[in-house]
Amino acid sequence: MGLKATVTINQLGTELYIEFLEATGVYHVTDNPGGFGGSNAARNTLAIILYAVHKKVLGDVVASVVLNDPFSVSSFTVVIDKTVNGTLEYSLFALPIFDDLLTYEDGNIVYDAITDPMSPIIKEMVDGLWVAVTADELIGNEDVIQTTDYAFPIPQAIALANLLNAAKMLKLRRYIHKRCSKEEFHDLRIKFEYVEGLIKVATLAFCKQAYNEAQIDIEEVFNYESIALIGNE
């Protein structure tokens, strides 16, 4: 299967939201072959773990992730420390839930909340014995379903995104007011608010593709003006 996630950040730049359940979706042989269930593992057979870290020249700082039950969590909230320069990177893992009735072999990695419910652990079988491992040690392990596609610049990039948003919104509002008389403003305002929302979400999400697309000139978004604004001159 293939884990997928949608990522957004709050307006203050203090929390990052990583939603994987709906993004990964339900298995479909053609439309969504990487979804939960079907020929892939079902959500209720997996523990979902998130590991996030502030990467910086002077040494990495583990990010604070709001605690969730790995068996039922559908999204994660990462608390962003804006005093830490560098980037925020995360890894999202799907681990089989340990079952003491099953037989395991070397290389198997599971999430065990049965042996000691008060202190669940991630463990790997090595030479026939279970060895505790940490989430960061799983990064790049081909035996674990994971996604590590995103890196988020902070805090400078958050400030930059807010400045870009403000500049784009101001430019767009001026453009509309210039082109439309007051009584003809409503229809185009609806289009403006739609585009405004798209730009704001895309820029704040820091997804590379969305971020790049958000840099498009506002007036290019309104290329339909020759049709939409007939009679407004």
Side-chain angles (χ1 to χ4, degrees):
M1 66 180 297
L3 284 177
K4 292 178 287 187
T6 58
V7 185
T8 54
I9 192 171
N10 68 353
Q11 291 281 3
L12 296 178
T14 57
E15 292 183 344
L16 192 76
Y17 309 115
I18 301 170
E19 302 181 54
F20 70 88
L21 184 61
E22 186 173 336
T24 301
V26 178
Y27 171 83
H28 187 281
V29 63
T30 54
D31 295 341
N32 191 26
F36 291 112
S39 60
N40 301 322
R43 171 65 185 94
N44 62 5
T45 68
L46 298 169
I48 308 295
I49 307 294
L50 182 82
Y51 176 77
V53 60
H54 296 278
K55 307 289 289 188
K56 52 183 296 187
V57 174
L58 298 180
D60 296 346
V61 178
V62 177
S64 175
V65 180
V66 176
L67 292 178
N68 291 282
D69 181 356
F71 302 122
S72 60
V73 63
S74 61
S75 64
F76 290 92
T77 298
V78 181
V79 179
I80 297 177
D81 185 352
K82 295 202 291 182
T83 66
V84 181
N85 291 323
T87 62
L88 176 70
E89 297 182 3
Y90 80 80
S91 297
L92 185 66
F93 304 101
L95 304 173
I97 298 170
F98 175 66
D99 185 341
D100 55 7
L101 299 178
L102 298 179
T103 300
Y104 295 93
E105 58 185 30
D106 284 353
N108 288 163
I109 300 172
V110 297
Y111 182 83
D112 182 6
I114 298 176
T115 303
D116 184 357
M118 298 303 294
S119 301
I121 62 170
I122 302 169
K123 62 186 185 181
E124 178 179 8
M125 181 163 283
V126 179
D127 296 331
L129 299 174
W130 288 113
V131 177
V133 295
T134 57
D136 59 308
E137 293 174 323
L138 298 179
I139 297 174
N141 189 312
E142 295 181 356
D143 295 323
V144 180
I145 301 169
Q146 60 186 279
T147 180
T148 53
D149 294 338
Y150 298 92
F152 305 88
I154 57 172
Q156 290 87 352
I158 293 173
L160 174 61
N162 289 333
L163 288 174
L164 288 172
N165 277 328
K168 289 169 183 172
M169 297 310 105
L170 181 60
K171 182 175 181 181
L172 187 52
R173 287 185 184 277
R174 287 176 175 172
Y175 182 77
I176 290 178
H177 278 285
K178 180 180 178 181
R179 289 293 189 180
C180 302
S181 60
K182 183 176 180 181
E183 63 273 12
E184 296 164 332
F185 182 70
H186 179 72
D187 289 345
L188 194 57
R189 179 175 177 80
I190 294 175
K191 296 182 177 68
F192 154 69
E193 290 175 344
Y194 173 71
V195 175
E196 180 183 43
L198 287 179
I199 294 170
K200 185 177 296 184
V201 172
T203 305
L204 290 179
F206 285 105
C207 169
K208 292 179 181 178
Q209 180 180 355
Y211 187 84
N212 290 335
E213 290 175 353
Q215 308 313 303
I216 190 170
D217 190 278
I218 291 298
E219 293 188 15
E220 290 181 15
V221 177
F222 279 78
N223 276 337
Y224 57 78
E225 67 170 292
S226 60
I227 298 176
L229 300 178
I230 291 177
N232 286 358
E233 295 292 343

